[in-house]
Amino acid sequence: MPPRPSTRRSPRRDPAAPSEQPPSYGVAAIVSLVILALYIATLAPTTAMWDTSEYIAAAQVLGIPHPPGNPFFGLIAHVFSILPIGGNAATRINVLAALCSAVSAGTWFLVVERVLSVWLPERWQRITGAAAAALLGATAFTVWNQSVVNEKVYTVSLAFFAIVSWLTVLWCDNPEGRTADRLLVLIGFLIALGYTNHPAGFLVAPAVGAAVLLRRPTTLLRWRLLLAIAGVFVIGLTPFAVEPIRAGHFPAIDVPASSSRTM
């Protein structure tokens, strides 16, 4: 009689081991473009309620909105406000929100695909699951609502969260690789830069620290690397210098100064 086929399942792959398949960057780009098209199709044509008008107006005149001032957002939103991509400044800044969330969706696709590689052996399975997760996340009401009208700075923060998370995944896959130190330096810079967009930019820092402690705790003993991270961290905080410099030129919108005069 022919031997019976084995019914034993192959053991689950070590989640800390590097993925055997390269990331599907092309598919991630397609996911981002699909999500961006959805956001553009439902984009608000002008401003809306809450902080939307304040932040759009402040960005257009390179002013300073209410504390903490969000200088990095003000800089990039001002650039978008003068791009020839829409009928008015509000629409153009709304496009910034849509673009940031679309980039976030593609980046979350990469993260989920890497997580699914632990359980799903076939590439098409991982791509399907990651694409579904990215689509569900991008169309959740709060995310979609913030992505079609620039209510504040949260879509830019979301992009920082997603990119730092993906870079951390890459570092965890090969913490002793040739580019591992560069990834940590870049992560340090992006966390600081994200903080100048909104204090929530620090939210990913504990997760990065936990990943380093779990995968390669000796990293914390390498003073040269830590010094490099501290150096780029300070550079990442430099957008805060925009606030006193711009305030000295008395912009049309300077909420902190207006608040101090009314006290």
Side-chain angles (χ1 to χ4, degrees):
M1 296 180 63
R4 296 178 61 183
S6 174
T7 57
R8 295 177 57 188
R9 294 183 178 180
S10 59
R12 193 180 71 177
R13 191 173 62 82
D14 180 4
S19 179
E20 298 176 356
Q21 297 290 333
S24 301
Y25 288 112
V27 181
I30 294 174
V31 169
S32 290
L33 289 174
V34 170
I35 297 300
L36 179 61
L38 172 64
Y39 289 154
I40 295 299
T42 56
L43 194 74
T46 184
T47 186
M49 296 177 63
W50 304 114
D51 293 328
T52 306
S53 297
E54 177 194 347
Y55 274 77
I56 288 176
Q60 186 176 12
V61 301
L62 205 57
I64 305 174
H66 66 261
N70 315 100
F72 182 74
F73 171 81
L75 290 172
I76 60 174
H78 178 72
V79 171
F80 268 78
S81 73
I82 59 178
L83 292 178
I85 56 175
N88 54 66
T91 302
R92 293 190 282 269
I93 296 176
N94 290 342
V95 170
L96 168 63
L99 181 62
C100 287
S101 289
V103 170
S104 301
T107 309
W108 291 131
F109 166 89
L110 294 172
V111 173
V112 175
E113 182 192 33
R114 172 62 182 87
V115 173
L116 292 180
S117 68
V118 178
W119 293 283
L120 302 179
E122 300 295 333
R123 184 170 180 264
W124 71 268
Q125 295 173 324
R126 299 191 295 271
I127 289 178
T128 302
L135 180 62
L136 288 173
T139 55
F141 178 77
T142 301
V143 178
W144 173 83
N145 184 54
Q146 295 283 324
S147 303
V148 297
V149 60
N150 193 90
E151 193 271 328
K152 211 169 181 181
V153 301
Y154 302 123
T155 56
V156 180
S157 290
L158 183 63
F160 274 107
F161 295 159
I163 294 171
V164 169
S165 297
W166 173 239
L167 294 176
T168 304
V169 169
L170 291 178
W171 182 87
C172 287
D173 275 349
N174 193 7
E176 298 182 3
R178 182 172 55 88
T179 61
D181 291 352
R182 297 176 185 176
L183 286 174
L184 288 180
V185 171
L186 179 58
I187 287 170
F189 172 75
L190 291 177
I191 290 176
L193 192 62
Y195 182 76
T196 66
N197 175 72
H198 191 276
F202 273 167
L203 287 177
V204 290
V208 175
V212 171
L213 285 174
L214 290 172
R215 292 291 288 132
R216 196 186 182 195
T218 56
T219 300
L220 300 179
L221 303 177
R222 301 176 55 202
W223 66 270
R224 290 184 179 178
L225 174 60
L226 298 180
L227 188 61
I229 294 174
V232 298
F233 192 88
V234 172
I235 294 174
L237 294 177
T238 53
F240 278 123
V242 170
E243 292 183 326
I245 294 173
R246 185 58 181 149
H249 290 81
F250 305 102
I253 297 177
D254 189 351
V255 175
S258 301
S259 299
S260 64
R261 287 194 293 268
T262 57
M263 291 181 63

